[in-house]
Amino acid sequence: MDEDDEEDYMSDLFINLRQDVRPGLPMVRRMREAIQKEEKQKAANEKNRQKSIKEEEKERRDLVLKSALGNENKGFALLQKMGYKSGQALGRSGEGIVEPIPLNIKTGRSGLGHEELKKRKAEEKLENYRQKLHMKKQANEQAADQFRVRFKNKQEERKMEGDLRKSQRACQQLDRQKDIDVPKEIWYWLEPEEEDKKDEDDKEDECTSSDLSVSEKLRLLTAYLREEHFYCIWCGTTYEDPEDLSSNCPGDSAADHD
């Protein structure tokens, strides 16, 4: 071997081949080795662990259930004598079962019927939860319906209040055109912004008028305007006489004019 072909043990190439000096690499290698060692230890412990009686019984039972019945089984031998063949359904016409009835192994320590009782209680709990959800949904829907009704009634009440003010203003103007200085009812006219002191009779009239609802006031005032002045607040027209009013006006309510 030539001297040029011999490796230089002090060269960078040889040092890099013999030892990787990248930062953190030794720690990663040690962690990987520790994990592999731990996995091997777990596998050895699992292999050397003594199985419990239940586990051994389960393994033996599974092994027996997986294997088919042989001629040494007395019941199977009797079936063969009666013409039964392996894989054939039971019954004279072959309408019976093919596979044996599966075993339902009870491993817990609870009494008979406990699982059914537990299942029934779970179903009752679920049904009660569904009923609560249904009742809650119904309550929310009822609350929403009540809110819509209240909102609609409030809007209708505001509209009637506006119609009442419109009727009071028209009544005041028409009464004064006929030289009527005092309204038939105190609430037939709009109340002035600044009023002097009133006597006891006026106060009693106010109390009486306050007992009427907005819809009742509007109905009475509308009838008064039609009878006294031949005026319809919905049409905004004053007619010549009752015949002209009845023949040209659709009716005495807002619904008739829609």
Side-chain angles (χ1 to χ4, degrees):
M1 181 181 294
D2 297 337
E3 294 182 358
D4 295 338
D5 295 338
E6 293 182 358
E7 295 181 354
D8 186 2
Y9 293 102
M10 300 303 294
S11 66
D12 295 337
L13 178 61
F14 183 81
I15 294 174
N16 292 334
L17 290 173
R18 297 293 297 175
Q19 183 178 3
D20 197 338
V21 294
R22 285 179 292 178
L25 188 63
M27 183 177 294
V28 174
R29 186 181 295 111
R30 286 196 298 271
M31 290 178 63
R32 188 184 299 113
E33 292 175 354
I35 293 172
Q36 292 176 354
K37 184 177 180 181
E38 184 178 358
E39 291 177 351
K40 289 180 180 179
Q41 186 66 31
K42 286 183 179 180
N45 294 339
E46 186 68 22
K47 185 178 181 181
N48 297 329
R49 184 179 66 86
Q50 185 177 1
K51 296 181 181 180
S52 63
I53 297 176
K54 290 184 178 181
E55 290 176 343
E56 292 178 355
E57 289 179 352
K58 184 176 183 303
E59 289 182 357
R60 290 196 298 267
R61 183 169 57 249
D62 293 341
L63 181 62
V64 172
L65 292 176
K66 288 180 181 178
S67 60
L69 293 176
N71 296 328
E72 67 278 2
N73 186 278
K74 293 183 179 180
F76 186 72
L78 290 173
L79 287 174
Q80 284 183 326
K81 289 181 180 179
M82 290 186 290
Y84 174 78
K85 295 181 181 180
S86 181
Q88 182 181 356
L90 297 179
R92 181 176 298 179
S93 57
E95 72 279 2
I97 60 175
V98 178
E99 297 294 333
I101 299 174
L103 295 177
N104 186 11
I105 306 300
K106 185 177 180 301
T107 58
R109 301 183 64 182
S110 59
L112 295 176
H114 177 72
E115 295 298 328
E116 293 295 330
L117 178 62
K118 187 177 179 181
K119 182 180 179 181
R120 186 167 64 253
K121 287 184 176 180
E123 291 177 351
E124 291 176 356
K125 186 176 180 181
L126 179 60
E127 184 64 23
N128 292 335
Y129 177 72
R130 289 176 177 172
Q131 289 181 358
K132 288 181 179 179
L133 287 181
H134 183 65
M135 293 174 63
K136 186 177 180 180
K137 183 180 179 181
Q138 285 185 338
N140 292 336
E141 291 178 353
Q142 290 178 358
D145 293 339
Q146 291 175 359
F147 173 77
R148 285 192 289 267
V149 170
R150 288 196 303 268
F151 184 75
K152 183 179 180 181
N153 293 339
K154 193 172 182 180
Q155 283 185 324
E156 292 178 352
E157 186 176 356
R158 288 179 179 176
K159 185 177 183 300
M160 283 191 294
E161 289 176 353
D163 293 337
L164 179 60
R165 288 193 296 270
K166 178 182 176 182
S167 301
Q168 288 172 332
R169 191 178 298 109
C171 180
Q172 188 173 359
Q173 293 176 357
L174 294 172
D175 283 348
R176 286 180 175 175
Q177 289 178 4
K178 288 187 175 183
D179 297 330
I180 299 175
D181 298 330
V182 179
K184 184 177 180 180
E185 297 288 344
I186 191 172
W187 53 269
Y188 274 22
W189 291 5
L190 288 173
E191 297 181 0
E193 297 180 358
E194 296 181 358
E195 296 180 347
D196 297 331
K197 294 182 179 180
K198 297 181 180 181
D199 54 10
E200 295 298 330
D201 295 335
D202 294 336
K203 291 182 180 179
E204 290 179 0
D205 292 339
E206 283 187 358
C207 293
T208 304
S209 64
S210 63
D211 294 337
L212 298 175
S213 63
V214 176
S215 60
E216 292 174 344
K217 289 181 179 180
L218 182 60
R219 180 179 58 82
L220 294 174
L221 186 54
T222 303
Y224 172 78
L225 291 173
R226 293 175 68 88
E227 294 173 0
E228 184 69 24
H229 302 288
F230 314 122
Y231 177 77
C232 177
I233 62 169
W234 317 115
C235 300
T237 305
T238 302
Y239 296 91
E240 296 180 358
D241 48 37
E243 291 77 9
D244 186 23
L245 176 64
S246 60
S247 60
N248 295 315
C249 183
D252 58 353
S253 64
D256 297 330
H257 292 75
D258 291 340

